[in-house]
Amino acid sequence: MTPPPSNSSPTSLSRRGMLQRAAWAASAAAWPRWAMARQGDARHDPFALGVASGDPSPDGMVLWTRLMPAEPGAWSRPIPVRWEVAHDDAFRRIVQRGTAAALPEFAHSVHVELQGLAPGRWYHYRFLLGDAVSATGRTRTAPAPGELEPRLRIAFASCQRWEHGHYAAWNDVCRQAPDLVLFLGDYMYEYASPKDPAGLARVHGLRLAQTLADYRDRYALHKSDPALQAAHAICPWASTWDDHEVQNDYTGAHGLGDAADFMAMRTAAWQAFYEHTPLRAASLAASGFGALQVYRALPWGRLANIHLLDARQFRDRQACRAEGSSGAGTVLPADCAELQAPQRSFLGAAQERWLDAGLAADSRGSADGSGTRWSVIAQQTLFSQRHYPSGVQSADSWDGYPAARQRLLESLARHAPRNTVLLGGDIHQNYVCNVFAPPEEASSASAPASAPAGRSARILASEFCSTSISSRSSTTQEKLDAIARHNPHVLLARCDQRGWGMADVTPGRWTNTLRTVDDPLRADSGASTQARFVVEDRRAGPVRDL
């Protein structure tokens, strides 16, 4: 298959041309023998950034790698890369093989979209270029539609600032052997390293990311970490983004500086996100890198349906945020009428409708057991309310969008999926919460003391928000203890440790384990369990088990 024509500069490609090139590269088109011969001998490791897989479906997934030339700019044309998928890690039983295009306009990244594999089973994969062979990755397909799998292990994580800690948490993820990793945002941070390195685990020499080259360099830095590479190779991932993939606290088209400059920077950042994430070419939608289709559903047979959200691209600007401010901060509700505006959205109207429809579909068959067992809402931050003793309210979390949260609560109450669990990250703290029904559903007179004031007694869902992989918390445990005392629905709040969340899902129980590293400043740090909670089938609300 002949590739669509390309100019040397990615900015010169039309949107249609960009989509055609991405779709062609993902199709694993056959290359002529002469093209393979010309690439001949790779005398360095072109696979230095590792391998990854993502977005598993019942018959396939996306395989990813990015080629690194021996010298920057050494390659200016498409490079054909061979790939193999096998039942065994020795590649004696090959299932599929082919050749994919590493295109210069996509930083020579490779996205191979596989089809035709058997549902619900593990595979091994690798890439080859000349004499160079990549690390071997392990991946799997999702179960067949209608299949009720006996077990699913999910790792969910977020926030891995390079300087604040080593990625020992990913070593622990590998030891726990999950079926799927959900990454919930802040894969990398756009900042330059602090001038004072005291107390940091490591530093880098990159400047504040602003251009496509800057963002590519930042992803290459993070992906050079061996623990992160190992976690990508252990199982498929499904990733979404938060703010630091572009700029701290940006929302939609709102960022710092000149609007046109910001939009150019955002486009560059989103292109780099696609280039370094195992996403399907269809995520480019119809507008190239001016928009990415990041929210999506990941069905796991009948056991679970994962609604992976995008809480940045379509979000309204934070309420009462000062023009030119570098962060959203907090507001006093009495001083910010905008906070309560009913039209303000955290997800955007289209995504709200999509999620509402997905929750409605999850609820079908819940009465007779033929429907989705666990409805999972995987998003960036803490969904539950945090009433601060000082009276202030967070502007950058769901607390800053109360009308949007109310609409989601009403959707959950209206459709009543069999079991709903919310997963989050962003705040660098572990939280476990009961999620209560909207206050209109029942009178406050019937609400027990454990329910927040003005809320119904009925628990709609369970929430688990995991701490950061490495990024430091900006608060103290004393302050979190005070928050927990003012919020009866908060069952656990901890800010003092870094780590990740592990969910063991069966048809009858969701077991959530909060894993934390002993010392984030050590690459070889051990890890342990901070707490464990369970949610029983048809009985919303986490119960502490450890």
Side-chain angles (χ1 to χ4, degrees):
M1 181 184 294
T2 303
S6 170
N7 297 320
S8 59
S9 170
T11 59
S12 65
L13 283 171
S14 67
R15 289 179 177 177
R16 181 177 178 84
M18 184 74 79
L19 293 171
Q20 287 178 334
R21 298 284 284 178
W24 170 75
S27 68
W31 285 71
R33 291 183 179 274
W34 62 262
M36 294 302 302
R38 289 179 64 176
Q39 302 309 320
D41 179 26
R43 300 185 183 278
H44 71 292
D45 180 10
F47 304 110
L49 300 187
V51 300
S53 67
D55 282 23
S57 66
D59 74 336
M61 71 289 294
V62 182
L63 305 184
W64 174 93
T65 192
R66 178 189 168 192
L67 302 182
M68 299 296 287
E71 298 292 337
W75 294 332
S76 60
R77 61 177 56 193
I79 306 295
V81 182
R82 290 170 289 153
W83 55 267
E84 296 177 338
V85 177
H87 286 304
D88 62 310
D89 59 5
F91 291 87
R92 294 189 181 94
R93 294 185 293 150
I94 301 291
V95 179
Q96 291 187 18
R97 55 162 52 102
T99 306
L103 303 180
E105 56 265 41
F106 299 136
H108 289 102
S109 61
V110 177
H111 296 72
V112 179
E113 298 184 21
L114 295 183
Q115 295 178 313
L117 300 178
R121 68 170 301 161
W122 287 94
Y123 294 92
H124 299 270
Y125 66 95
R126 65 184 180 184
F127 296 91
L128 306 97
L129 178 63
D131 295 331
V133 182
S134 74
T136 295
R138 184 171 176 262
T139 190
R140 62 161 297 168
T141 50
E147 184 74 20
L148 185 61
E149 285 259 304
R151 175 184 175 276
L152 165 64
R153 173 167 284 187
I154 300 171
F156 60 100
S158 63
C159 305
Q160 47 186 23
R161 185 165 177 178
W162 180 264
E163 303 97 320
H164 284 184
H166 291 286
Y167 294 164
W170 288 122
N171 288 329
D172 189 51
V173 170
C174 292
R175 288 191 291 267
Q176 303 301 326
D179 296 288
L180 178 69
V181 170
L182 298 177
F183 195 84
L184 303 180
D186 293 344
Y187 188 93
M188 63 82 173
Y189 281 65
E190 79 280 19
Y191 302 131
S193 283
K195 294 181 179 178
D196 182 3
L200 299 177
R202 48 192 176 178
V203 295
H204 61 77
L206 301 176
R207 68 172 193 164
L208 176 71
Q210 295 177 303
T211 68
L212 179 56
D214 292 338
Y215 286 108
R216 285 171 170 172
D217 288 345
R218 197 59 55 94
Y219 279 103
L221 171 72
H222 283 66
K223 285 183 171 291
S224 70
D225 186 274
L228 181 55
Q229 287 192 14
H232 273 296
I234 199 71
C235 72
W237 285 40
S239 298
T240 186
W241 54 27
D242 199 17
D243 54 340
H244 288 289
E245 284 87 356
V246 180
Q247 183 188 82
N248 181 50
D249 284 352
Y250 91 94
T251 58
H254 301 288
L256 297 180
D258 177 80
D261 290 343
F262 172 75
M263 290 301 290
M265 183 178 71
R266 192 192 74 170
T267 298
W270 287 3
Q271 176 169 343
F273 178 84
Y274 172 79
E275 291 171 350
H276 294 85
T277 307
L279 288 171
R280 299 180 185 275
S283 65
L284 297 177
S287 56
F289 295 111
L292 283 182
Q293 183 63 47
V294 175
Y295 69 85
R296 57 208 190 271
L298 297 164
W300 204 264
R302 286 195 296 118
L303 180 62
N305 191 22
I306 301 167
H307 308 273
L308 189 60
L309 305 187
D310 174 357
R312 283 292 164 186
Q313 184 171 184
F314 311 106
R315 188 199 300 197
D316 287 316
R317 186 177 171 87
Q318 297 94 345
C320 300
R321 180 176 176 181
E323 194 67 36
S325 170
S326 61
T330 57
V331 297
L332 281 167
D335 297 337
C336 182
E338 182 187 1
L339 188 70
Q340 301 297 335
Q343 74 277 8
R344 297 185 68 249
S345 181
F346 198 68
L347 304 174
Q351 188 176 187
E352 284 191 17
R353 290 192 297 269
W354 169 85
L355 180 56
D356 181 74
L359 295 173
D362 286 353
S363 67
R364 297 183 193 121
S366 61
D368 62 9
S370 64
T372 298
R373 192 62 57 99
W374 298 92
S375 183
V376 185
I377 301 175
Q379 45 87 52
Q380 282 76 4
T381 188
L382 184 69
F383 177 79
S384 295
Q385 287 180 304
R386 282 182 293 176
H387 300 283
Y388 290 89
S390 64
V392 300
Q393 201 158 310
S394 170
D396 193 53
S397 70
W398 284 90
D399 275 344
Y401 301 78
R405 177 166 52 201
Q406 177 75 1
R407 288 192 294 272
L408 180 48
L409 288 172
E410 290 170 353
S411 176
L412 286 171
R414 181 169 61 253
H415 298 305
R418 178 167 175 154
N419 301 290
T420 303
V421 176
L422 292 101
L423 303 178
D426 174 56
I427 60 175
H428 311 172
Q429 302 160 30
N430 275 329
Y431 265 80
V432 178
C433 303
N434 285 317
V435 177
F436 284 86
E440 291 80 4
E441 189 177 279
S443 67
S444 58
S446 65
S450 59
R455 283 203 177 269
S456 160
R458 191 166 79 90
I459 300 173
L460 279 181
S462 308
E463 179 172 24
F464 302 99
C465 182
S466 70
T467 187
S468 55
I469 289 289
S470 61
S471 305
R472 291 173 178 168
S473 175
S474 59
T475 188
T476 66
Q477 189 57 43
E478 182 180 14
K479 292 180 179 178
L480 258 68
D481 291 342
I483 291 172
R485 289 194 296 269
H486 280 77
N487 296 267
H489 58 284
V490 174
L491 307 180
L492 179 142
R494 291 282 297 272
C495 69
D496 54 330
Q497 291 179 294
R498 314 277 66 81
W500 60 287
M502 181 171 69
D504 283 300
V505 187
T506 69
R509 172 180 285 196
W510 179 293
T511 303
N512 210 94
T513 305
L514 303 175
R515 297 285 296 173
T516 55
V517 297
D518 302 330
D519 184 356
L521 299 183
R522 291 178 56 99
D524 61 350
S525 174
S528 60
T529 294
Q530 182 186 87
R532 185 168 61 238
F533 288 78
V534 299
V535 183
E536 301 290 348
D537 178 35
R538 297 189 185 276
R539 187 177 298 174
V543 176
R544 187 152 189 165
D545 190 50
L546 178 67

